[in-house]
Amino acid sequence: MGPTAQNLPEGGAVGKAATVEPTGSSELTLNSIARGNFRQVVGTAWSTVGGMEVRTVGGRYAIDGRLGEGTNGQVYRARHLQLGKAFALKVISPTIALDGAARARFNEEAKLASAISHPNIVSVVDFGEDAQIGAYMVMELVEGEPLINEQAAPMSVRRACDVLGQIADALDHIHRRGIIHGDVKAENIMLTAEATGARRRRIARLLDFGLARLSSGDGEEQLNGSPHYLAPERAAGAPPSVAADIYALGVLGYVMLTAALPFDGSVVEILMAHINRDVPGLAQRRGEAVEPAVEQLILRALSKDPAKRHGSAAAFRAELNAAMDALEQGQRQPSGPIPVAHRRDPTLVAAFERSRVAQALLSLDGDIVFANKSFARLVGIESRVEGLNVGQTTLANMVPGFARALRAAHDSGQPCERRARVFRGSDAPALELTLWFAPLGVPGLEVHLLVRVEDADPRRRDE
């Protein structure tokens, strides 16, 4: 079934770097299970693959060195001979290479994966069979940092939720195309930086689709994957599924929020714990309370019964969005008037004030820095609204995702839109609100909010 995890640190902590071992050793390193049966390897000659002298793979990739090794194969840094571009090239393990059915399934799934494009997924760009080394696949080489670094402490709730949302989006994308990842874990996620104007945002990238799942050849799926992330039904022998990926997503959230794995021990002990034991509370492992909406999200994903988990990655994402909105609202505190340290163009201020469209400039925390009279009338405040937090008005409560949209516009540097419908009773048509959030390059990093209000078209169905 695999090696034990008896060498894990106390409490199942994660984040310790894998030990670098001399080339040629077949022994897995300390913390190998927690690190996903993966070890960093150095010192391998650029032309050596699986003990053979290999100069090129598939006639077009030169091997520059080995990046790592897992239970399903070895990963090398490769260079396309014509393009000169670097890629990650995975050579499938001999166990799979000798199994014709497994090799055929690998080729079929690799072909499907190569057609997938998503910002949170590392793309498969090529695959094939080499006469000397057998089946291989080529993926884009991700230059970034691991999700969990050495001696990692629990992440902030906001950052953990951001990563979970991105990975949920990636899983939803592949699930809709009939692909089960089967190996979601912290070690299969890299963080890269993406620049948007003057801002930089961390992007979580999901690696290794688990395309080379082992098959015994008798029609039964062997137990594979990282034991610490394995759903109870998978530990009992059930095949990979959407529900199992959701469970692994819950474990991922648990790990990020507590810097510890839910269960520890030998592989058998871990698998039995997934089936029989309750997950230790997040507050117990984290050392402080976690927002109830976030904890409920994680524990639901970690339900023993697959039917009690989120029905899809999209459903997980929807509950996560609601939890993030609750988190944003809870962290806002009423504030006094905000002094404006810079002058605004009097002409623009006059146009802003005379506009019949409700407009305001909001800080990242939702404080109203500047607003026109139309905005004040919209939120039902006759006096000045500057200095108030938009969370203290009815507007934020009427528009689902308001806080998330405000932050998204700020973080991405791109405008976004939200819509809401407000019902006024049976004797009046509903109002339809359209909100535009546009970031501004002015001191204070303000976001420009415009709100259009119109009677809802009764012929238009609710989205």
Side-chain angles (χ1 to χ4, degrees):
M1 181 176 296
T4 67
Q6 294 173 340
N7 291 328
L8 281 173
E10 184 73 21
V14 298
K16 186 174 182 180
T19 305
V20 176
E21 297 190 9
T23 302
S25 171
S26 60
E27 182 182 358
L28 288 174
T29 64
L30 179 68
N31 216 10
S32 61
I33 293 295
R35 301 294 294 173
N37 294 342
F38 186 92
R39 65 190 178 103
Q40 298 297 320
V41 185
V42 296
T44 301
W46 72 270
S47 59
T48 301
V49 177
M52 299 180 294
E53 292 296 320
V54 177
R55 191 163 294 277
T56 62
V57 175
R60 54 189 177 276
Y61 297 100
I63 303 298
D64 289 338
R66 190 162 61 174
L67 295 174
E69 180 178 349
T71 56
N72 292 346
Q74 298 173 338
V75 182
Y76 296 85
R77 183 183 181 95
R79 174 174 38 84
H80 195 284
L81 293 175
Q82 282 73 42
L83 301 177
K85 185 176 180 179
F87 294 95
L89 186 145
K90 183 174 183 179
V91 177
I92 305 307
S93 69
T95 307
I96 295 177
L98 295 175
D99 186 331
R103 193 168 62 250
R105 186 178 64 182
F106 160 75
N107 287 329
E108 179 182 352
E109 293 182 345
K111 182 177 181 180
L112 181 61
S114 66
I116 290 178
S117 177
H118 189 275
N120 299 115
I121 293 174
V122 174
S123 300
V124 174
V125 299
D126 194 7
F127 65 96
E129 293 201 24
D130 183 87
Q132 190 172 4
I133 67 169
Y136 67 91
M137 75 169 72
V138 182
M139 300 162 285
E140 60 176 313
L141 183 64
V142 176
E143 302 288 354
E145 62 184 61
L147 176 62
I148 297 180
N149 290 307
E150 184 176 359
Q151 305 298 334
M155 287 187 188
S156 70
V157 175
R158 188 192 304 280
R159 183 181 180 190
C161 287
D162 180 48
V163 172
L164 277 178
Q166 294 184 58
I167 300 305
D169 289 343
L171 289 177
D172 180 56
H173 187 79
I174 65 174
H175 288 169
R176 291 176 184 271
R177 287 154 179 79
I179 298 177
I180 305 301
H181 189 282
D183 200 18
V184 176
K185 57 188 177 185
E187 295 70 35
N188 271 344
I189 297 170
M190 293 287 289
L191 296 179
T192 62
E194 181 179 277
T196 304
R199 298 179 175 88
R200 294 180 68 83
R201 181 179 180 235
R202 289 180 177 269
I203 304 296
R205 307 291 303 279
L206 184 59
L207 312 169
D208 197 345
F209 269 49
L211 296 175
R213 291 196 302 265
L214 295 173
S215 173
S216 62
D218 57 6
E220 295 184 1
E221 185 74 24
Q222 286 188 358
L223 185 62
N224 60 350
S226 179
H228 287 103
Y229 290 78
L230 214 59
E233 67 274 15
R234 289 281 293 120
S241 64
V242 169
D245 273 356
I246 298 299
Y247 186 90
L249 195 59
V251 176
L252 177 66
Y254 189 99
V255 168
M256 289 191 293
L257 290 169
T258 66
L261 291 156
F263 304 116
D264 187 21
S266 70
V267 171
V268 173
E269 290 170 340
I270 294 168
L271 297 182
M272 294 307 296
H274 282 300
I275 297 173
N276 299 318
R277 285 172 49 191
D278 292 333
V279 175
L282 272 72
Q284 173 187 345
R285 288 288 183 83
R286 184 177 173 86
E288 62 181 6
V290 177
E291 285 70 11
V294 176
E295 183 167 23
Q296 181 179 352
L297 168 82
I298 300 300
L299 294 181
R300 181 180 176 189
L302 291 174
S303 297
K304 303 297 185 188
D305 184 355
K308 293 183 179 180
R309 296 175 207 148
H310 306 84
S312 65
F316 180 97
R317 176 57 143 149
E319 185 176 338
L320 175 64
N321 289 345
M324 292 174 70
D325 283 345
L327 179 63
E328 292 281 357
Q329 294 289 346
Q331 288 184 344
R332 292 200 186 102
Q333 301 295 330
S335 60
I338 300 176
V340 180
H342 57 281
R343 292 182 174 274
R344 304 181 189 274
D345 189 303
T347 304
L348 294 179
V349 171
F352 192 81
E353 279 287 352
R354 289 196 300 267
S355 174
R356 298 176 60 182
V357 177
Q359 301 184 57
L361 299 181
L362 306 179
S363 73
L364 179 59
D365 293 325
D367 293 318
I368 302 172
V369 179
F370 197 58
N372 63 4
K373 294 179 180 178
S374 297
F375 185 87
R377 286 194 298 268
L378 175 66
V379 298
I381 298 177
E382 296 182 0
S383 58
R384 290 179 59 85
V385 296
E386 283 82 1
L388 295 177
N389 190 281
V390 73
Q392 298 172 257
T393 72
T394 58
L395 183 61
N397 296 324
M398 290 189 297
V399 182
F402 185 97
R404 187 160 31 87
L406 178 63
R407 178 166 290 277
H410 172 269
D411 291 347
S412 68
Q414 299 295 322
C416 61
E417 176 183 306
R418 287 292 184 275
R419 293 176 180 269
R421 184 167 291 191
V422 180
F423 294 94
R424 298 184 291 174
S426 57
D427 57 345
L431 290 178
E432 187 166 278
L433 306 181
T434 303
L435 288 74
W436 289 280
F437 298 81
L440 294 181
V442 298
L445 296 177
E446 298 156 352
V447 173
H448 185 192
L449 172 66
L450 297 92
V451 185
R452 184 180 69 189
V453 183
E454 57 187 348
D455 289 340
D457 186 347
R459 297 170 298 179
R460 182 169 175 255
R461 298 179 60 183
D462 293 340
E463 298 180 349

